[in-house]
Amino acid sequence: MKYIKGLILAIITLFPPITLSQLNNDFWRINTDTYIEIEEYQGQRDAFKNKVFDKVSMIGELNLRNPESNWRFALEHRESLRNYGRNFSMSRGSYIRNRTQFGSTYQLAQNETSQLSLNFTYRKESNDSAPNTLAHSSHSLYWLMPAASYQFNEKWSLDFWTAFYYYSNYHRSNNHEWEAQYSIVYQYAPKIKGILSLYHDRVWASGFTNTFSQDQIRGELPITINQNWRIFPYFRYYLSEHAYNSAQVLTQKIKKGYRLGARIEYNITPKLILWSGFAIEPTNWQYAKYNKITSGNNNKQTYYLSQLGVQYQWQ
């Protein structure tokens, strides 16, 4: 796989300078994460009426950080097989989309109670599509993401991030997007904390006509069980979601929906982590969705997510 070759090349290139600087702790730590991700929508079928997994992806991530530097870097490559047929076999409608992204984060300010950082990321995604269909939009994506946190005391803190996106497309007008999340963090005990967040997402077409809006309440409960086990249960609750066409006419609206999920980590060694994630997201919509992924009079839909991965700290 291309992303594996890229990770190996990066590690080989960076290993000599890292080794030379280890004595004073001024060296770059390399962390890799490789995982498989399966996304499925209830009821979806291919052209031959076979039940499909909507997307199966292989993802490779490489992260670089240095305690003595204000910079952090991240590289990700994803290969996604769409319309994965029954019994985990390819169907006649299967196709692959891939994307690669690179990001850098700079620590603008930091003290005992607060910190401020700025991230810039570039992503390139392919325009592959199902056989005998129009190609999906291939695009480049640029985003700028400031993030900040403030520690009120030993128990309470405030986290915040916001992101501004620009899509440069080949087959459609440019899009702009804004996301933000505000979080209150409570440290209940040394190994348990609670996070409650308010999340917003807005998308505009060229000319800044509104095409999509979403608001959610999100919660997390990271728990360290012992030196080997950690669990991160979470939930998302839809406050609203609306989609509009170019004439600003409402084309979709959520009636109700939520997501329940968790991530579980097991430390095999101090440097090697095996992890898994899963989630279920039932929703009801105003109108039926394409490819029969909604059903019934309430246009119900259920989304399933499962993940399995391995993290390794190289230095």
Side-chain angles (χ1 to χ4, degrees):
M1 298 290 285
K2 294 181 179 179
Y3 72 88
I4 294 178
K5 294 179 181 178
L7 294 179
I8 295 174
L9 178 60
I11 292 167
I12 293 174
T13 303
L14 291 166
F15 186 77
I18 287 172
T19 303
L20 291 174
S21 60
Q22 281 184 334
L23 294 177
N24 61 0
N25 201 40
D26 179 13
F27 66 97
W28 290 91
R29 277 69 167 174
I30 304 175
N31 181 276
T32 56
D33 192 2
T34 305
Y35 61 100
I36 184 172
E37 180 177 86
I38 301 175
E39 300 173 82
E40 181 188 3
Y41 289 93
Q42 171 188 305
Q44 191 162 6
R45 306 274 172 170
D46 65 13
F48 302 94
K49 307 303 180 183
N50 294 323
K51 186 176 185 295
V52 300
F53 298 90
D54 182 61
K55 187 194 300 183
V56 177
S57 304
M58 281 295 299
I59 303 101
E61 298 178 356
L62 183 148
N63 295 281
L64 302 175
R65 66 175 183 86
N66 185 332
E68 303 299 324
S69 173
N70 289 325
W71 288 97
R72 300 191 307 273
F73 302 96
L75 174 68
E76 177 190 297
H77 183 75
R78 174 185 296 253
E79 297 276 345
S80 297
L81 181 61
R82 304 298 301 263
N83 297 334
Y84 202 44
R86 60 181 179 179
N87 299 325
F88 290 91
S89 60
M90 293 182 65
S91 67
R92 295 184 184 181
S94 295
Y95 64 99
I96 293 176
R97 278 177 74 83
N98 63 76
R99 78 182 193 201
T100 303
Q101 68 182 45
F102 172 78
S104 60
T105 302
Y106 184 74
Q107 191 76 41
L108 295 170
Q110 185 174 12
N111 56 41
E112 293 181 356
T113 60
S114 62
Q115 60 177 346
L116 175 65
S117 64
L118 184 65
N119 171 268
F120 172 78
T121 296
Y122 169 76
R123 175 190 295 173
K124 178 65 176 179
E125 187 164 359
S126 71
N127 65 342
D128 304 295
S129 63
N132 303 316
T133 64
L134 294 175
H136 288 213
S137 296
S138 172
H139 64 260
S140 296
L141 169 63
Y142 309 82
W143 81 63
L144 195 65
M145 178 187 293
S149 65
Y150 182 79
Q151 190 81 30
F152 295 103
N153 52 46
E154 293 182 356
K155 293 288 187 180
W156 294 94
S157 62
L158 173 68
D159 290 345
F160 162 77
W161 62 263
T162 186
F164 305 92
Y165 304 86
Y166 173 73
Y167 295 86
S168 178
N169 298 289
Y170 291 105
H171 301 294
R172 60 176 179 171
S173 301
N174 293 333
N175 282 344
H176 309 270
E177 185 176 2
W178 168 75
E179 281 186 298
Q181 183 168 289
Y182 317 87
S183 304
I184 292 291
V185 182
Y186 179 66
Q187 190 73 48
Y188 177 76
K191 295 183 178 181
I192 304 174
K193 67 180 178 181
I195 305 171
L196 186 64
S197 307
L198 184 62
Y199 168 82
H200 308 286
D201 187 12
R202 302 289 184 271
V203 181
W204 298 274
S206 181
F208 286 94
T209 55
N210 187 27
T211 61
F212 177 84
S213 66
Q214 183 186 86
D215 300 287
Q216 295 180 357
I217 292 177
R218 297 179 171 183
E220 301 174 59
L221 189 66
I223 301 172
T224 300
I225 299 174
N226 53 41
Q227 63 180 3
N228 296 111
W229 289 94
R230 290 185 298 274
I231 183 170
F232 305 84
Y234 68 90
F235 78 87
R236 298 178 182 179
Y237 178 78
Y238 283 80
L239 296 174
S240 67
E241 181 173 314
H242 301 82
Y244 306 88
N245 62 18
S246 58
Q248 296 292 282
V249 176
L250 181 70
T251 58
Q252 188 58 274
K253 176 182 178 181
I254 194 168
K255 291 183 176 180
K256 61 180 179 180
Y258 63 89
R259 177 184 292 196
L260 294 176
R263 175 184 168 111
I264 301 172
E265 295 184 356
Y266 177 70
N267 284 59
I268 300 175
T269 72
K271 291 187 176 183
L272 182 63
I273 297 174
L274 178 66
W275 67 273
S276 64
F278 56 90
I280 181 172
E281 184 178 277
T283 52
N284 289 3
W285 299 86
Q286 184 75 33
Y287 309 108
K289 286 193 171 184
Y290 58 91
N291 291 340
K292 298 181 180 180
I293 62 176
T294 54
S295 61
N297 296 329
N298 291 327
N299 297 313
K300 296 180 180 179
Q301 172 187 297
T302 304
Y303 167 77
Y304 301 93
L305 171 69
S306 56
Q307 301 164 306
L308 182 63
V310 177
Q311 283 186 355
Y312 190 75
Q313 181 70 50
W314 293 86
Q315 289 291 336

